Amino acid sequence: MRSPIRLLPAFALALLLPSRTFADGGLLAPGDLAWLRRDGFGLDTVAIDSCRGMGRRRMLELQLQDRMPGSLPQAVADQLASNPALTTRASEALAQWHQAQERIRSMPEGEARSAARNELQRQGNQWVQQARAAELLQAIYGPNQLKEQMVWFWLNHFSVYAPKGRIRWEVGDYAEHVIRPRALGKFRELVLATLKSPAMLEYLDNVQNAKGHVNENYARELVELHTLGVDGGYTQQDVQQLALILTGVGIAPLDGLPRPIAPALAPRLVREGLFEFNPSRHDFSDKVLLGHPIRGRGFSEVEEAVDWIVQQPACGRFLSRKLAEYFVGDQPPAALVERMALAFRKREGDIAEVLRTLFDSSELVAAAGGKFKDPFQLIVSAMRLAYDGRPIYNPRPLIHWLEMLGEPLFGRITPDGWPLDGARWSSSGQLEARFAVARAIGNGNPQLFLPEGSTQRMPGFPLLTSPLYYAAFEPYLSAATRNGLAQAQSQGEWNGLLLASPDFAYR
């Protein structure tokens, strides 16, 4: 069997073909379809109509400004509005957790205490599932697909691991209130927001970082994984200096009671929600970071350090290459990466400007059909094609499929995030799991349309042979995929074969 990496879809060749006609007579060129496949998680009728109606340039502009018209289906919006993990701020969630912990501690040892502890654990796990469901629903139905992709990209770039400690109570807030509002903004603000988030501070142990008890974990990942890259020119001395700068950066006490601080240091205390810079835990010595002297004075050291780090040319290059790898290919063109890095430097880390350079480039479309989808992209794009905007009421099967494919959201143990390269997702075991997921979606999963608590069976069989399919997929299928589809014995089998085909596996 040939590796799927080598089976480039016929879609790439079709870019040279004349324009095609969509359902109601509108035209969309193959180049536009290729651009749309990179712009969003996958094609649906809304995306095609938007591109056809306003053109690529206008559509891109509205997306970068986060003014894309459209809204979530009402049924999906209602689900998100009633999702506690999405609507509860981390401060409130941790306060509830703290109260529950205090109550459990006051109980005598025995079965009742054990049951209460297990129930709190169950609630925390449910909280994570709710956060995962929220991200999947927004990725499938969000009208600004470019922003949805960037939310997923940054959640992976600034990865946190939900099962560690209390992070399960924080990931919903982290995704919705830390990452999402800044997904298209200034990179400096995104770094600072993650730096102040309880999820990141607990995951990378900076809550333990104090004068005389320095913990370098977060400092190391901040330069290596979040900003400069492993070859970004920093030294162990820089990591140590940054760790000293970050001493005292942590989380405010959950009991709300004030902690003793010397009067001389009290004005330097910083609190924003759960974030706290405690000057009593800070090392006030002068530091030198990446050759830049920083005077010891408190939290403004941290802001100065982040400013200095994101100004480094290595930061723009590292992020630009990673973005190009995500959107274009495993080995993105060096000239494109350099232009994106230049935009990053000239526009002071403006993420939207870097994306504008990327999506205005000829390289984006020229490389069409060469990027193997990761599991999240595969499932979201399959749902967008199979149900084309039809709202689902139960995202649990989607969460289960992501776990089957080995890419659970907030489930990467190491802080480097899930791999972006196709080779990581094309092993024989991975392909077998992909076939199983494709069959499950293709055969229709009634659970998707069964609201929580309902016992009524709901129809769920997708009809992939829709106007969307005939306009955007069918003309570009390879001979191998056509031959495979021709041997299907049922509509469900045909659906599964299409969703498992190499033509669908790439974008």
Side-chain angles (χ1 to χ4, degrees):
M1 179 180 176
R2 287 185 293 168
S3 165
I5 294 292
R6 297 174 182 173
L7 289 174
L8 291 180
F11 184 81
L13 302 176
L15 296 179
L16 301 177
L17 295 176
S19 299
R20 298 284 175 173
T21 302
F22 192 43
D24 61 0
L27 298 176
L28 202 60
D32 289 335
L33 289 173
W35 187 87
L36 272 182
R37 279 188 166 87
R38 302 295 176 84
D39 176 74
F41 275 114
L43 301 179
D44 69 358
T45 299
V46 171
I48 290 180
D49 281 346
S50 296
C51 188
R52 184 181 52 193
M54 63 181 71
R56 275 195 235 173
R57 183 165 296 280
R58 178 64 176 160
M59 185 175 177
L60 176 61
E61 193 60 36
L62 290 174
Q63 289 181 116
L64 294 178
Q65 296 177 20
D66 202 13
R67 296 192 297 113
M68 190 70 180
S71 59
L72 296 167
Q74 191 58 51
V76 175
D78 290 345
Q79 289 183 64
L80 296 178
S82 62
N83 186 323
L86 196 67
T87 57
T88 307
R89 297 305 304 261
S91 55
E92 183 181 345
L94 286 191
Q96 294 173 7
W97 173 87
H98 178 70
Q99 291 170 2
Q101 284 283 54
E102 291 297 303
R103 182 174 58 82
I104 292 171
R105 287 195 187 97
S106 68
M107 298 171 69
E109 287 290 352
E111 291 185 3
R113 181 174 183 176
S114 178
R117 189 181 293 115
N118 291 339
E119 173 59 18
L120 185 60
Q121 181 78 8
R122 186 196 67 79
Q123 292 176 8
N125 293 337
Q126 187 179 39
W127 207 264
V128 177
Q129 298 297 72
Q130 291 167 349
R132 288 170 172 164
E135 284 311 305
L136 280 159
L137 289 174
Q138 292 182 95
I140 294 170
Y141 300 103
N144 188 347
Q145 281 283 292
L146 181 54
K147 179 178 179 178
E148 295 304 332
Q149 288 206 88
M150 290 309 299
V151 171
W152 166 241
F153 178 86
W154 292 127
L155 281 175
N156 196 46
H157 183 80
F158 295 103
S159 180
V160 297
Y161 180 58
K164 180 178 179 179
R166 305 180 302 194
I167 297 174
R168 68 197 71 203
W169 297 95
E170 303 162 350
V171 290
D173 177 82
Y174 181 67
E176 191 65 14
H177 300 291
V178 175
I179 298 293
R180 176 170 291 277
R182 300 168 182 84
L184 298 169
K186 293 278 191 178
F187 184 66
R188 171 192 183 275
E189 304 305 322
L190 186 56
V191 173
L192 278 173
T194 56
L195 183 150
K196 294 179 180 177
S197 68
M200 184 62 73
L201 291 173
E202 295 203 309
Y203 175 49
L204 292 179
D205 304 321
N206 210 76
V207 290
Q208 304 165 17
N209 189 15
K211 181 181 180 180
H213 303 278
V214 177
N215 187 308
E216 298 178 2
N217 285 0
Y218 180 42
R220 182 176 305 283
E221 307 309 351
L222 180 56
V223 292
E224 180 175 316
L225 297 178
H226 296 175
T227 56
L228 301 181
V230 67
D231 300 320
Y234 65 89
T235 65
Q236 175 59 23
Q237 179 72 9
D238 291 315
V239 172
Q240 293 169 347
Q241 291 288 286
L242 183 56
L244 291 178
I245 291 170
L246 290 168
T247 50
V249 170
I251 298 176
L254 296 180
D255 57 14
L257 299 177
R259 297 294 188 266
I261 297 178
L265 293 178
R268 299 178 189 271
L269 174 69
V270 178
R271 278 192 181 169
E272 299 176 16
L274 276 178
F275 172 74
E276 177 185 83
F277 173 77
N278 186 341
S280 298
R281 296 165 57 85
H282 182 62
D283 185 316
F284 278 89
S285 65
D286 293 340
K287 295 90 175 177
V288 177
L289 177 65
L290 299 167
H292 177 70
I294 294 180
R295 182 174 57 83
R297 60 193 188 282
F299 182 67
S300 55
E301 292 175 49
V302 177
E303 296 174 310
E304 183 177 351
V306 170
D307 284 341
W308 183 242
I309 291 171
V310 300
Q311 289 174 26
Q312 302 303 303
C315 183
R317 286 197 299 270
F318 172 59
L319 290 172
S320 296
R321 194 193 184 288
K322 193 168 180 179
L323 282 165
E325 183 181 358
Y326 176 84
F327 282 104
V328 180
D330 293 349
Q331 300 297 326
L336 171 61
V337 173
E338 186 53 40
R339 295 202 304 277
M340 293 168 64
L342 181 62
F344 185 93
R345 291 196 297 274
K346 281 187 172 181
R347 302 304 293 266
E348 299 178 334
D350 191 319
I351 298 165
E353 289 302 320
V354 177
L355 291 175
R356 190 193 309 281
T357 301
L358 172 61
F359 277 84
D360 276 344
S361 74
S362 59
E363 290 96 328
L364 183 82
V365 174
K371 182 64 182 176
F372 197 63
K373 296 175 182 175
D374 69 19
F376 191 90
Q377 293 165 340
L378 179 74
I379 290 174
V380 173
S381 62
M383 292 298 295
R384 286 172 63 79
L385 170 63
Y387 295 105
D388 196 13
R390 177 185 173 189
I392 63 170
Y393 292 86
N394 179 7
R396 289 181 186 274
L398 307 178
I399 298 170
H400 172 64
W401 293 333
L402 259 186
E403 291 172 347
M404 277 180 61
L405 296 176
E407 196 183 32
L409 191 57
F410 312 119
R412 179 73 168 177
I413 296 177
T414 52
D416 53 349
W418 297 110
L420 299 181
D421 62 302
R424 170 61 178 79
W425 303 112
S426 59
S427 67
S428 57
Q430 172 74 198
L431 294 181
E432 184 177 353
R434 286 187 174 223
F435 277 115
V437 170
R439 281 196 299 270
I441 297 175
N443 284 320
N445 187 319
Q447 295 297 319
L448 290 169
F449 300 94
L450 194 64
E452 195 76 31
S454 172
T455 57
Q456 183 179 359
R457 301 286 295 179
M458 304 287 285
F461 196 80
L463 295 176
L464 269 64
T465 49
S466 63
L468 169 66
Y469 164 75
Y470 284 110
F473 291 90
E474 195 278 337
Y476 313 113
L477 294 179
S478 65
T481 297
R482 291 179 187 279
N483 290 336
L485 294 175
Q487 298 173 40
Q489 300 299 309
S490 67
Q491 182 64 51
E493 185 179 355
W494 188 96
N495 290 345
L497 288 172
L498 176 66
L499 297 177
S501 70
D503 287 338
F504 193 77
Y506 289 85
R507 64 174 188 158

